[in-house]
């Protein structure tokens, strides 16, 4: 989803400071609020655990002058981690600055081999290898900056610090390890802390940027199909306030790699609230451009056999006499006749307070087979139809309700002069069967498309689809998108 840009980055992220303005240019806006960051923070531990596990820990080497022993050389080799656990974490939104993630009491054991050597009495050289374990307890603070680079989110987690409040060394196989422990405590621990901090924070920064790319690709994929996609490039750096984090996207529709060159609409932050977890704002320009692209791809066509057409009428409760069938189909059996419905021109979509207004010119053709040539048209009629649609989403399905419609007849063509009964039937067919049937098929098609992108895997709570003059608004709460995090973490392994 488009939300992914913020949903997952909120696990680690914050936002770059920005000038205070009251309006932005954008075709699509996404807002994630403080309650959502609290839900997301529950899974922060899995990302941090992955960072510790993925980090590479280089050998730590050094030497120190010791009384009676001379120069003692030491090295910690093959450092690995185990038994990692995290007690708790908190998240805070710092207005116009960052999201602060505080992780308390990261308990982890570092294992490896300690090598030390020195020249003993009578010039004897000592070179020992012992296994070691380091029991540690660490607090972690991450303050990430999100910036906009060429329209994409870039994460910077260099403001990262580790605080050690326990660091204990256990040696295995050493009879008198006391002085070695003292050496470690006095000289090695400082270097070890620097290495651990550098490697863990470096890995967090790597993961944050992999995550940024991952979620942006998922968001772009959700809004694309076949030759049509939506440019979700940022129009500026993300905005952070005390109660929400917000991103603004171009929303230009790209068809066959050609992007529209349209001026971006103006968005005002006051249009969205902060009581729901997640908000999406779509300019009607985006919806209209999507409809045009779908038309260009030739998708707004419905073709039925005569038998399918007859069954559809009966299912909708519209009775039709055999005489009307004979007149429409030129006396041919219904099994040999084809009925097609298609948009003749690019449909127009606007948003009003009442709902989404869809205006289109539709042509219906009754085609009769010809033994030697292409089927010829026995009857055709064109009408301009304007409908007001209200959408809702429930139980992982999209529902479309027709609030009002207007039909304006355009042209009629038939091989023989049609009777008044046929013309009356066609008018009734459009209003009682045609519009509801198209609406029903759109519900199924759009639901199938969204589920193919994984929307049904999300726990969406109390979704609302609201239309206002010039835009459409989605607002909802959600459960943590566990599948998205699992998918991401699997890609890291």
């Amino acid at each position: 989803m488009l939300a992914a840009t913020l949903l997952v980055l909120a696990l680690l992220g914050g936002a770059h400071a920005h000038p205070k303005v009251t309006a932005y240019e954008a075709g699509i806006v996404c807002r994630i609020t403080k309650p959502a960051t609290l839900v997301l923070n529950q899974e922060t531990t899995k990302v941090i655990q992955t960072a510790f596990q993925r980090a590479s820990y280089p050998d730590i080497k050094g030497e120190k002058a010791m009384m009676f022993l001379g120069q003692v050389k030491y090295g910690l080799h093959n450092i690995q981690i185990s038994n990692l656990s995290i007690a708790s974490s908190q998240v805070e939104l710092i207005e116009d600055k960052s999201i602060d993630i505080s992780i308390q009491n990261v308990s982890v054991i570092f294992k490896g081999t300690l090598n030390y050597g020195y020249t003993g009495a009578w010039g004897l050289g000592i070179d020992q290898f012992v296994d070691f374990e380091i029991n540690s307890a660490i607090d972690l603070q991450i303050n990430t900056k999100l910036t906009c680079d060429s329209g994409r989110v870039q994460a910077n987690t260099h403001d990262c610090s580790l605080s050690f409040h326990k660091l204990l060394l256990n040696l295995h196989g050493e009879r008198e390890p006391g002085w070695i422990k003292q050496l470690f405590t006095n000289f090695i621990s400082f270097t070890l802390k620097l290495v651990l901090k550098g490697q863990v924070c470096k890995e967090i920064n790597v993961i944050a940027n992999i995550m940024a790319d991952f979620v942006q690709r998922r968001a772009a994929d959700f809004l694309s199909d076949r030759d049509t996609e939506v440019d979700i490039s940022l129009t500026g750096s993300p905005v952070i306030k005390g109660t929400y984090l917000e991103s603004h996207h171009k929303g230009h529709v790209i068809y066959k790699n050609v992007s529209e060159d349209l001026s971006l609409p103006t968005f005002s932050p006051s249009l969205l609230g902060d009581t729901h977890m997640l908000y999406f704002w779509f300019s009607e320009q985006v919806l209209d451009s999507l409809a045009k692209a779908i038309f260009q791809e030739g998708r707004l066509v419905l073709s039925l056999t005569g038998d399918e057409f007859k069954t559809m009428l009966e299912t909708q409760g519209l009775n039709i006499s055999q005489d009307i069938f004979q007149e429409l189909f030129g006396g041919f059996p219904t099994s040999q006749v084809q009925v097609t419905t298609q948009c003749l021109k690019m449909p127009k979509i606007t948003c009003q307070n009442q709902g989404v207004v869809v205006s289109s010119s539709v042509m219906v053709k009754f085609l009769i087979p010809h033994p030697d040539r292409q089927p010829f048209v026995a009857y055709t009629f064109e009408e301009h139809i304007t409908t007001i649609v209200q959408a809702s989403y429930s139980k992982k399905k999209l529902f479309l309700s027709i609030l009002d419609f207007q039909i304006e007849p355009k042209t009629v063509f038939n091989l023989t002069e049609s009777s008044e009964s046929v013309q009356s039937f066609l008018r009734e067919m459009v209003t009682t069967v045609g519009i509801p049937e198209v609406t029903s098929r759109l519900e199924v098609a759009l639901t199938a498309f969204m589920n193919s992108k994984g929307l049904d895997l999300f726990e969406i709570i109390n979704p609302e689809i609201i239309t206002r003059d010039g835009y459409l608004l989605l607002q909802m709460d959600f459960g943590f998108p566990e599948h998205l995090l699992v998918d991401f973490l699997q890609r890291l392994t």
Side-chain angles (χ1 to χ4, degrees), residues 366-387:
F366 295 86
L367 304 174
I368 298 175
H370 192 283
D372 301 322
R373 301 191 302 271
Q374 292 292 326
F376 59 88
V377 178
Y379 200 104
T380 181
F381 66 95
E382 177 188 349
E383 295 182 322
H384 189 81
I385 302 176
T386 301
T387 57

Side-chain angles (χ1 to χ4, degrees), residues 11-186:
L11 293 172
L12 294 175
H16 192 65
H18 63 92
K20 293 185 177 181
V21 294
T22 57
Y24 303 88
E25 290 185 344
I28 301 174
V29 177
C30 177
R31 175 179 292 186
I32 185 169
T33 63
K34 180 64 178 293
T37 64
L38 297 177
V39 170
L40 294 169
N41 186 59
Q42 296 172 7
E43 302 296 326
T44 301
T45 56
K46 295 180 181 179
V47 178
I48 300 304
Q49 287 173 339
T50 302
F52 271 88
Q53 292 162 355
R54 276 176 50 98
S56 59
Y57 302 101
D59 293 346
I60 300 174
K61 298 178 180 181
E63 61 180 81
K64 185 68 178 178
M66 295 283 294
M67 187 176 296
F68 305 117
L69 296 179
Q71 291 292 118
V72 176
K73 296 182 179 180
Y74 59 85
L76 278 69
H77 308 279
N78 193 29
I79 302 175
Q80 300 177 2
I81 69 168
S82 64
N83 295 31
L84 191 149
S85 65
I86 297 176
S88 63
S89 65
Q90 287 82 38
V91 58
E92 286 295 332
L93 297 176
I94 309 302
E95 185 158 342
D96 295 334
K97 186 178 179 182
S98 66
I99 293 178
D100 293 347
I101 302 288
S102 300
I103 296 119
Q104 289 77 41
N105 199 14
V106 180
S107 177
V108 61
I109 295 177
F110 295 91
K111 295 182 178 181
T113 302
L114 172 64
N115 164 234
Y116 64 92
Y118 59 92
T119 301
W122 301 288
L124 295 176
I126 305 297
D127 192 12
Q128 297 286 343
F129 288 86
V130 295
D131 294 331
F132 72 84
E133 287 186 359
I134 300 171
N135 292 305
S136 65
I138 306 168
D139 290 340
L140 183 62
Q141 180 72 31
I142 308 169
N143 301 322
T144 306
K145 303 295 183 182
L146 296 184
T147 58
C148 175
D149 183 7
S150 301
R152 298 184 67 81
V153 174
Q154 293 293 319
N156 183 340
T157 66
H158 291 119
D159 187 4
C160 167
S161 61
L162 274 66
S163 301
F164 291 79
H165 48 85
K166 183 175 79 171
L167 198 65
L168 301 176
L169 172 68
N170 295 314
L171 299 176
H172 303 285
E174 179 66 30
R175 295 180 180 178
E176 297 180 0
W179 69 270
I180 302 177
K181 285 189 177 182
Q182 181 181 8
L183 174 67
F184 175 84
T185 302
N186 293 340

Side-chain angles (χ1 to χ4, degrees), residues 172-218:
H172 303 285
E174 179 66 30
R175 295 180 180 178
E176 297 180 0
W179 69 270
I180 302 177
K181 285 189 177 182
Q182 181 181 8
L183 174 67
F184 175 84
T185 302
N186 293 340
F187 306 121
I188 302 178
S189 62
F190 178 74
T191 304
L192 178 64
K193 290 176 182 179
L194 288 179
V195 170
L196 295 181
K197 174 185 181 300
Q199 295 304 114
V200 171
C201 288
K202 176 183 176 181
E203 192 59 40
I204 288 175
N205 194 69
V206 170
I207 289 179
N209 279 288
I210 294 175
M211 185 181 294
D213 184 66
F214 170 77
V215 296
Q216 287 171 102
R217 288 180 182 273
R218 288 292 295 264

Side-chain angles (χ1 to χ4, degrees), residues 1 12 15 34-35 55 150 177 189 192 217 219 222 224 285 313 327 379 390 413 425 433 441 444 472:
M1 298 180 71
L12 294 175
K34 180 64 178 293
S150 301
S189 62
L192 178 64
R217 288 180 182 273
F222 189 87
S224 66
Q285 175 178 293
L313 298 178
E327 192 170 339
Y379 200 104
Q390 191 173 72
F413 169 79
F425 159 75
V433 178
R441 288 175 181 266
V444 174
L472 181 142

